[in-house]
Amino acid sequence: MKPNSRRVFLRNTSISSLVLLANPLKSCSSKIENKIVSETYKPLILSTWAHGIPANDKAWDVLSKTDNILDAVEQGVRVTESDPDNLSVGLQGLPDRDGIVTLDASIMIGDGSCGSVSFVRQIKHPISLARQVMEKTPHVMLSGEGARLFAIAQGFPLEEEKLSPKAEKAYREWLVQSAYKPIINIENHDTIGMIGIGKDGKLAGACTTSGLAYKMHGRVGDSPIIGAGLYVDDEVGAATATGLGESVIRICGSFLVVELMRQGRSPQEACEEAVRRLTVKNASQIADMQVGFLAINKEGEFGAYAVHPGFNFAMHHSEAKVLKDAKSKFSDNG
Ligand code: ASP
């Protein structure tokens, strides 16, 4: 898939736009023997990609008014799900190879409560449906037609199954070759994964996507799989992933990042070790695939790391909101 103009825009804007916030509260830096070891912030919201900036704005607003980190992450990623220009999240995203948009989403809080939906059609806000699964059923995941029927029962409106103008154009172009290459490289993936910590230390995360463009009908990625695309534990921290879902599922990526933090790694070290393991387990594909991880620990320290350059993330805390480039295992020239 060719780089689209939005991604070119993302790359151009990834020279970190820093916006200092008015009336900043003091952030705390953790100190050990008078040595500053890391930046820590509470509250803190992190999201994958530049579309995380408006999503974080909404999450921050909700968090400021309610102190509810679960509401904040849900409302935050709903902004991305509603963005008519977004080709990788929500019903305006790129379809599968049969021309049908199917969505995956998950939500989790630090006490272990979680919910997800996968392979769901016609629902504008799958993240809110995932929350309903968490709160209104004894289950963790509903899929496909069952998820859609549950949505109807919960009063969610069904949207018309019609590709957005941008998705329709891109799909028609793809149909010319119809090349089935289920690969996510550094140009064509953009799930929003958002993780956050409130000032009370409670953590939550939300992850939502239209998944891999032109995937097989029925394909489900990492985003709705608890422990793959998202994992949250108030005892330790939270992590989320973006990129080639199959490779993330193979290493239980977000769970791995949280478990590495539990064993004493910093969020940055944990993301780096997860990428290292992922590159070993997916060695034959590694040149043409991308994955990025984001993590927060319960102190409010953060980390981010990707397989290749190009992954950026939006960070919002009491002093600033900023788009940052993540470091990566491989450099630009491989
Ligand atoms: N992780 C998503 C998936 O594999 C894709 C993405 O990050 O855009 O479905």
Side-chain angles (χ1 to χ4, degrees):
M1 182 171 143
K2 283 188 203 142
N4 64 29
S5 53
R6 189 167 74 84
R7 263 179 211 96
V8 172
F9 170 77
L10 294 193
R11 273 205 304 274
N12 290 344
T13 55
S14 69
I15 309 156
S16 303
S17 42
L18 175 69
V19 179
L20 293 176
L21 299 179
N23 191 21
L25 301 172
K26 269 259 171 271
S27 76
C28 46
S29 298
S30 67
K31 292 187 178 185
I32 294 177
E33 291 168 1
N34 291 330
K35 185 175 154 221
I36 295 176
V37 292
S38 63
E39 292 174 76
T40 65
Y41 301 98
K42 253 189 239 178
L44 173 65
I45 309 272
L46 298 186
S47 293
T48 53
W49 306 111
H51 54 204
I53 295 173
N56 285 1
D57 283 347
K58 179 67 181 179
W60 190 261
D61 187 46
V62 172
L63 191 59
S64 309
K65 289 177 179 146
T66 66
D67 277 339
N68 185 323
I69 191 67
L70 173 61
D71 287 347
V73 297
E74 179 195 3
Q75 293 298 322
V77 302
R78 279 173 63 106
V79 170
T80 324
E81 289 180 338
S82 299
D83 177 357
D85 292 325
N86 196 308
L87 285 174
S88 52
V89 179
L91 291 175
Q92 58 285 332
L94 294 171
D96 63 23
R97 65 182 184 178
D98 298 328
I100 300 166
V101 177
T102 67
L103 304 179
D104 296 336
S106 63
I107 195 159
M108 186 164 191
I109 52 178
D111 69 356
S113 304
C114 52
S116 76
V117 290
S118 65
F119 188 47
V120 66
R121 294 160 74 159
Q122 292 185 274
I123 302 300
K124 186 171 180 184
H125 290 299
I127 197 65
S128 296
L129 188 57
R131 182 166 175 178
Q132 295 288 300
V133 172
M134 173 172 90
E135 292 179 343
K136 303 268 174 64
T137 81
H139 307 301
V140 166
M141 178 186 273
L142 290 179
S143 192
E145 182 60 3
R148 203 178 67 107
L149 292 174
F150 174 66
I152 295 168
Q154 293 301 309
F156 283 69
L158 284 189
E159 307 295 323
E160 190 188 353
E161 280 205 301
K162 189 170 179 301
L163 294 183
S164 66
K166 281 189 175 178
E168 170 93 37
K169 183 170 178 293
Y171 180 55
R172 286 193 183 285
E173 285 167 13
W174 178 80
L175 276 178
V176 175
Q177 300 283 334
S178 299
Y180 190 59
K181 286 193 193 149
I183 282 178
I184 295 192
N185 59 30
I186 61 174
E187 302 293 354
N188 68 354
H189 61 100
D190 274 7
T191 291
I192 184 155
M194 177 185 286
I195 48 179
I197 187 165
K199 64 174 186 264
D200 57 1
K202 298 269 186 242
L203 288 141
C207 186
T208 176
T209 189
S210 53
L212 181 57
Y214 320 127
K215 60 197 174 187
M216 282 176 72
H217 189 60
R219 180 266 187 188
V220 169
D222 59 317
S223 308
I225 311 282
I226 299 299
L230 179 68
Y231 199 72
V232 182
D233 185 340
D234 278 346
E235 290 179 6
V236 181
T240 191
T242 180
L244 184 63
E246 284 76 1
S247 68
V248 177
I249 293 170
R250 280 186 195 111
I251 62 156
C252 297
S254 294
F255 181 73
L256 174 61
V257 170
V258 171
E259 288 310 294
L260 288 164
M261 292 194 290
R262 192 190 305 276
Q263 291 161 23
R265 312 265 181 128
S266 70
Q268 185 62 35
E269 290 166 343
C271 290
E272 291 183 16
E273 171 60 14
V275 166
R276 187 198 68 76
R277 254 192 242 189
L278 184 142
T279 58
V280 171
K281 299 291 179 208
N282 298 273
S284 61
Q285 280 179 294
I286 211 70
D288 199 24
M289 57 160 279
Q290 173 68 308
V291 166
F293 288 106
L294 284 184
I296 294 178
N297 67 13
K298 67 178 182 177
E299 276 75 45
E301 196 183 353
F302 62 91
Y305 202 62
V307 175
H308 295 287
F311 172 47
N312 56 21
F313 63 101
M315 179 166 81
H316 199 133
H317 52 74
S318 58
E319 289 186 343
K321 55 179 183 175
V322 58
L323 183 66
K324 288 173 88 78
D325 292 322
K327 291 191 176 139
S328 59
K329 181 164 176 59
F330 300 107
S331 61
D332 271 320
N333 50 21

